[in-house]
């Protein structure tokens, strides 16, 4: 009789005792392996949720309040062969059902085109929404109880013309409402759960045609988000390289305004004020540039007489060359030797105030940059000259497009986020605005203006004028000097942070393993006790084997072999039951323990490798328990 037959006979004869051992190992294996399955399911669920929210997106150029050309996406795609690049306009808003019965706050509204769905995981992406169509993701559809065919109303907050932190920034942040008909509910495979930042749940999102959102926001051909995916091994670095080569001044919110009457071009910003980093780049220009800074004076007073809410332009050399063709025509308004305490006024203001050359004016300025302070202390300026309202002194283009002010036909209709007392305006002021619009009535040197209203956080200059012949060289200088990242033109990694955020803060596998340590210990202690009891019951059998000439080591090996078979059987049975145990735990996390996972929906993932690892660990522990029990009983 060989060893295998002896082990089989022993297993069959003592099957009642061995059944308890197998059950003990099975319970321990189910708990141990189930805890590993729970931890693995949490990790894989969070990873799948993170990847569903970004699809194939690797990096994103998100300019926030700023915007860039929609055409930049096509330029980047040309420089990134094989990559998928999509422009988008992403804003916040409110969505409500067509009948007004339901409303969803803090909704993400995305303006997209066909290129967006090239980044979706779905093999058969949907067509882009039409001009009057709205796609909803599943969460927003549930909140609005909306289905295809229903009508929804979206009120969105578009990027402001001026930074929100400025005094005039709030005027451009007003919501704009439009309606559309729901034609599709997007799932995760269609990038319906789009989210570039981590969160417990995908944001409620409405998708509309890019052109539709641009038209409602007055942002023709502008976007604030460019998504790049399928970048290959180059990743974000490749996108950054393509961006450095392909960006343009228009992507930094800069554009040229033609001044044919003066034979010049003016560089202006979509944000009204030129950023300080742009002004610094202009100051390094070796050629001639005329810097203009137009600001609002709340009061210009001379003695007992005062003019309310007049515009004042500060003019001076912006480049390193003090005078040239572009600046020479401005000598009458801003002479090279105009002091910081001197002012040039036009005949209209001089008549209004009864001022003459040499008189002193007290001017208070509104702070356009910082919303925390409205009005500066009065500053004294001596009248250097009085010029007629003609030619350069009648240039309406000196008024930048201040939101709520520049587009108004009457000064009494101004709608700016400043505490203006429009009752101070007179018929004379209304007449000036009707005839001359926002033409400044007083002119300072650039240094005098900057000293009067101080350095603004978001910039002071409102334009830079150069000779038309210098435009190409000046543009090349700015592209070589400016850092596109300062204007928000920088790709940030999306995939890496998404996967990092998907890592659970709590190791649920280790947590439930720790909570079950007493059950595990009891199960394997039971295994050891049952094996020890079995060895004691078989003392006569062991003695007979020894009398027949079996060596002690061989007898222990036979008993340990039986233990190994029992441990293997229990490990296999426990591994099979581990999935049920894990399903119960995940069910508890979805109901009574929901707060532990912030309400996230967890899915069961049973990987053979995890089951094998749990079964192997349980088999090893049970075999060790058997060895210790038999060694003690020997």
């Amino acid at each position: 009789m060989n060893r295998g037959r002896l082990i089989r006979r022993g297993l069959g004869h003592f099957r009642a005792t061995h059944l308890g051992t197998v059950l003990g190992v099975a319970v321990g294996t189910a708990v141990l392996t189930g805890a590993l399955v729970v931890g693995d399911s949490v990790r894989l669920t969070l990873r799948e949720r993170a990847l569903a929210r970004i699809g194939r997106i690797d990096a994103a150029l998100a300019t926030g309040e700023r915007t860039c050309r929609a055409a930049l996406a096509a330029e980047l795609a040309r420089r990134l062969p094989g990559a998928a690049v999509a422009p988008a306009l992403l804003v916040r808003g409110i969505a409500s059902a067509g009948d007004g019965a339901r409303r969803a706050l803090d909704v993400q509204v995305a303006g997209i085109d066909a290129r967006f769905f090239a980044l979706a995981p779905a093999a058969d992406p949907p067509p882009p929404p039409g001009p009057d169509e709205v796609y909803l993701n599943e969460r927003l559809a549930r909140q609005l109880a909306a289905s295809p065919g229903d009508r929804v109303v979206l009120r969105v907050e578009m990027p402001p013309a001026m930074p929100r932190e400025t005094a005039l920034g709030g005027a451009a942040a007003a919501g704009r409402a439009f309606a559309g008909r729901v034609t599709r509910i997007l799932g995760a495979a269609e990038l319906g759960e789009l989210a570039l930042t981590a969160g417990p749940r995908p944001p409620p999102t409405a998708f509309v045609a890019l052109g539709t959102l641009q038209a409602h926001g007055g942002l023709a051909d502008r976007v604030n988000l460019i998504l790049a995916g399928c970048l290959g091994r180059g990743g974000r670095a490749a996108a950054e390289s393509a961006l450095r080569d392909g960006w343009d001044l228009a992507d930094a919110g800069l554009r040229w305004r033609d001044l044919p009457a003066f034979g010049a071009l003016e560089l202006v910003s979509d944000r009204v004020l030129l950023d300080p980093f742009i002004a610094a780049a202009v100051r390094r220009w070796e050629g001639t540039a005329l810097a203009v800074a137009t600001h609002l004076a709340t009061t210009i007073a001379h003695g007992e007489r005062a003019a309310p809410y007049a515009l004042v332009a500060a003019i001076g050399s912006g480049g390193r060359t003090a005078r040239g063709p572009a600046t020479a025509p401005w000598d009458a308004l801003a002479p090279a030797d105009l002091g910081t305490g001197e002012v040039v006024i036009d005949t209209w203001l001089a008549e209004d105030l009864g001022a003459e050359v040499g008189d002193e004016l007290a001017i208070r300025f509104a702070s356009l940059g910082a919303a925390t302070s409205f009005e500066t202390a009065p500053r004294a300026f001596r009248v250097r000259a009085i010029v007629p309202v003609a030619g350069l002194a009648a240039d309406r283009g000196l008024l930048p497009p201040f939101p709520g002010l520049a587009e108004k036909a009457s000064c009494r209709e101004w709608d700016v986020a400043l505490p203006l007392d429009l009752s101070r305006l007179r018929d004379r002021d209304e007449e000036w605005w009707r005839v001359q619009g926002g033409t400044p009535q007083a002119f300072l040197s650039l240094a005098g203006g900057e000293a009067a209203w101080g350095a603004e956080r978001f910039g002071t200059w409102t334009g830079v004028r150069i000779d038309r012949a210098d435009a190409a060289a000046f543009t090349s200088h700015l592209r070589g000097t400016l850092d596109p990242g300062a204007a928000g033109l920088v790709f940030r990694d999306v995939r890496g942070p998404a996967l990092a955020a998907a890592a659970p803060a709590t190791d649920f596998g280790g947590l439930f393993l720790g909570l079950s340590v007493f059950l595990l210990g009891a199960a394997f202690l039971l295994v050891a006790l049952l094996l020890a009891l079995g060895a004691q019951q078989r003392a006569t059998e062991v003695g007979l084997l020894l009398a027949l000439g079996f060596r002690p080591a061989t007898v222990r090996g036979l008993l340990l072999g039986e233990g190994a078979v029992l441990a293997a059987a229990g490990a296999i049975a426990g591994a099979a039951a581990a999935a049920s145990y894990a399903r119960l735990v995940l069910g508890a996390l979805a109901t009574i323990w929901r707060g532990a996972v912030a309400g996230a929906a967890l899915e069961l993932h049973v990987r053979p490798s995890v089951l094998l690892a749990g079964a192997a660990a349980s088999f090893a522990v049970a075999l060790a328990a058997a060895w210790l029990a038999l060694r003690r009983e020997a």
Side-chain angles (χ1 to χ4, degrees), residues 350-374:
E351 179 184 347
D352 189 12
L353 299 178
E356 299 179 353
V357 174
D359 287 350
E360 186 175 279
L361 305 181
I363 305 179
R364 288 178 178 269
F365 293 97
S367 179
L368 303 182
T372 55
S373 59
F374 165 61

Side-chain angles (χ1 to χ4, degrees), residues 343-356:
V343 62
V344 175
I345 62 175
D346 63 20
T347 52
W348 180 281
L349 183 61
E351 179 184 347
D352 189 12
L353 299 178
E356 299 179 353

Side-chain angles (χ1 to χ4, degrees), residues 598-624:
L602 300 177
E603 298 178 357
L604 178 65
H605 291 80
V606 182
R607 293 195 297 172
S609 59
V610 176
L611 294 180
L612 182 60
S618 299
F619 173 78
V621 173
L623 194 60

Side-chain angles (χ1 to χ4, degrees), residues 173-186:
R176 293 170 172 84
F178 59 96
R181 193 165 300 280
V182 178
T183 56
R184 197 179 191 99
I185 308 298
L186 297 182

Side-chain angles (χ1 to χ4, degrees), residues 415-486:
D415 182 20
V416 296
L418 293 171
L420 302 182
D421 182 7
L422 298 185
S423 64
R424 296 176 57 200
L425 294 170
R426 308 158 297 171
D427 291 341
R428 182 180 179 86
D429 304 316
E430 181 68 26
E431 181 183 358
W432 171 268
W433 190 265
R434 180 178 58 83
V435 177
Q436 297 296 337
T439 303
Q441 298 179 14
F443 306 89
L444 305 174
S445 67
L446 187 62
E450 291 177 333
W453 47 69
E456 300 283 13
R457 171 187 170 192
F458 298 100
T460 302
W461 297 1
T462 54
V464 175
R465 299 188 173 191
I466 66 166
D467 188 69
R468 191 186 306 275
D470 294 334
F474 185 73
T475 300
S476 178
H477 164 75
L478 289 181
R479 286 198 78 254
T481 306
L482 292 176
D483 175 16

Side-chain angles (χ1 to χ4, degrees), residues 475-524:
T475 300
S476 178
H477 164 75
L478 289 181
R479 286 198 78 254
T481 306
L482 292 176
D483 175 16
L489 298 175
V490 58
F491 273 102
R492 62 181 179 87
D493 184 25
V494 173
R495 188 165 299 275
L499 294 178
T506 302
D507 181 4
F508 284 92
L511 174 64
F512 284 101
L513 194 59
L515 294 175
S516 307
V517 65
F518 294 106
L519 181 59
L520 286 170
F524 290 114

Side-chain angles (χ1 to χ4, degrees), residues 232-255:
R233 298 182 63 183
R236 185 175 65 92
E240 278 289 301
S241 177
L243 177 63
R244 285 192 298 270
D245 295 336
W247 80 283
D248 190 72
L249 293 184
D251 298 316
L254 302 175
R255 57 184 173 86

Side-chain angles (χ1 to χ4, degrees), residues 239-308:
E240 278 289 301
S241 177
L243 177 63
R244 285 192 298 270
D245 295 336
W247 80 283
D248 190 72
L249 293 184
D251 298 316
L254 302 175
R255 57 184 173 86
W256 289 109
R257 191 165 67 91
D258 192 13
L259 305 172
F262 308 122
L265 296 174
E266 184 175 22
L267 183 73
V268 295
S269 172
D270 292 339
R271 292 163 62 84
V272 181
L273 299 175
L274 294 176
D275 291 285
F277 67 87
I278 297 174
V282 174
R283 291 187 188 278
R284 293 195 289 271
W285 166 241
E286 296 291 345
T288 302
L290 185 78
V292 179
T294 301
H295 284 247
L296 179 68
T298 57
T299 304
I300 302 179
H302 175 234
E304 298 297 324
R305 303 169 71 172

